Amino acid sequence: QKEVEQNSGPLSVPEGAIASLNCTYSDRGSQSFFWYRQYSGKSPELIMFIYSNGDKEDGRFTAQLNKASQYVSLLIRDSQPSDSATYLCAAGAGNNRKLIWGLGTSLAVNP
Amino acid sequence: DVKVTQSSRYLVKRTGEKVFLECVQDMDHENMFWYRQDPGLGLRLIYFSYDVKMKEKGDIPEGYSVSREKKERFSLILESASTNQTSMYLCASSFSGIGYEQYFGPGTRLTVT
């Protein structure tokens, strides 16, 4: 069974801090990885995707990928209360059009 | 900007009714997906389609069927709605091939009474 695992949280950080969200995946054939943000009652929206080992930065967000350890992370710098949401990690299902989804990590940024 | 729209934001149906949920995307994506999302269970794939008239079962296809007659439109059908199908239904689309990001519609909150 191919899986993506995330700590359900809640992860609580003060405003202005760095929030670190982590994800592990089981399918060594996965080549693409995604982070989505989902506000309560809304649909997931894509934040970032990463295909190569290392870091990828986009504004306050940095995605990190370590294929040897099968580990993906998302760092949110200068966290804002508006970042409070559930963050979903997903991995491309190897030789397949589907994505494998984690259950999400709930983040609360406290003013 | 990718635009995925769904026919209803909220829907209330009675047990045994036939229910149609429609999804339209404007990005010429080949792949389209239907998920349901329930608290504690995450996103679960019901069906997906990789081309017009082509479909594949996802993880939980029982009680559902789909139709894709045009590239931009993907319909989910509940043949005889049951209370355990009360859920948030999410449509998504992506480009063809392996491992592309998916873009979601706003979702339909379906309640079956």
Side-chain angles (χ1 to χ4, degrees):
Chain A
Q1 179 83 351
K2 298 174 183 178
E3 292 183 336
V4 170
E5 295 194 355
Q6 298 181 253
N7 190 325
S8 63
L11 174 66
S12 183
V13 301
E15 184 174 355
I18 295 175
S20 178
L21 303 158
N22 305 311
C23 168
T24 59
Y25 62 95
S26 64
D27 183 5
R28 284 201 172 272
S30 292
Q31 297 294 323
S32 53
F33 304 89
F34 308 91
W35 284 100
Y36 287 77
R37 177 176 61 200
Q38 186 174 25
Y39 292 113
S40 180
K42 303 293 186 182
S43 61
E45 58 178 319
L46 180 69
I47 301 173
M48 293 188 70
F49 56 85
I50 186 167
Y51 299 144
S52 304
N53 271 332
D55 295 359
K56 179 181 178 183
E57 190 173 316
D58 184 0
R60 295 187 297 113
F61 299 96
T62 299
Q64 299 175 317
L65 173 60
N66 183 326
K67 290 186 179 179
S69 300
Q70 295 179 245
Y71 179 92
V72 191
S73 65
L74 179 71
L75 300 178
I76 306 174
R77 288 182 301 282
D78 188 24
S79 295
Q80 300 297 309
S82 58
D83 294 326
S84 298
T86 296
Y87 289 80
L88 302 175
C89 174
N95 189 26
N96 199 301
R97 295 173 179 84
K98 298 187 286 188
L99 297 182
I100 308 166
W101 294 88
L103 294 181
T105 298
S106 174
L107 172 66
V109 180
N110 305 306
Chain B
D1 261 5
V2 177
K3 186 82 169 179
V4 181
T5 58
Q6 294 184 229
S7 49
S8 307
R9 285 289 283 126
Y10 300 94
L11 208 52
V12 179
K13 295 291 181 181
R14 292 190 182 275
T15 300
E17 279 193 87
K18 192 168 186 175
V19 181
F20 294 87
L21 303 180
E22 287 214 315
C23 175
V24 178
Q25 51 92 7
D26 68 354
M27 278 302 291
D28 204 33
H29 284 167
E30 289 81 8
N31 297 335
M32 296 188 74
F33 306 83
W34 275 108
Y35 294 91
R36 62 177 284 178
Q37 188 175 35
D38 302 286
L41 297 179
L43 282 167
R44 293 183 290 168
L45 182 65
I46 304 171
Y47 268 98
F48 72 99
S49 169
Y50 51 91
D51 201 350
V52 175
K53 297 189 187 296
M54 306 303 288
K55 62 186 179 186
E56 279 194 28
K57 293 180 180 179
D59 301 316
I60 52 164
E62 297 78 18
Y64 303 94
S65 61
V66 291
S67 172
R68 193 167 180 200
E69 297 296 320
K70 293 185 177 182
K71 188 176 185 179
E72 68 272 16
R73 191 178 297 267
F74 191 34
S75 300
L76 179 69
I77 303 150
L78 287 65
E79 297 290 344
S80 177
S82 64
T83 55
N84 63 12
Q85 292 178 310
T86 291
S87 186
M88 170 71 96
Y89 288 88
L90 292 159
C91 175
S93 70
S94 74
F95 284 114
S96 178
I98 295 165
Y100 281 98
E101 65 272 20
Q102 296 179 11
Y103 295 91
F104 285 83
T108 296
R109 173 74 64 184
L110 173 66
T111 302
V112 183
T113 62

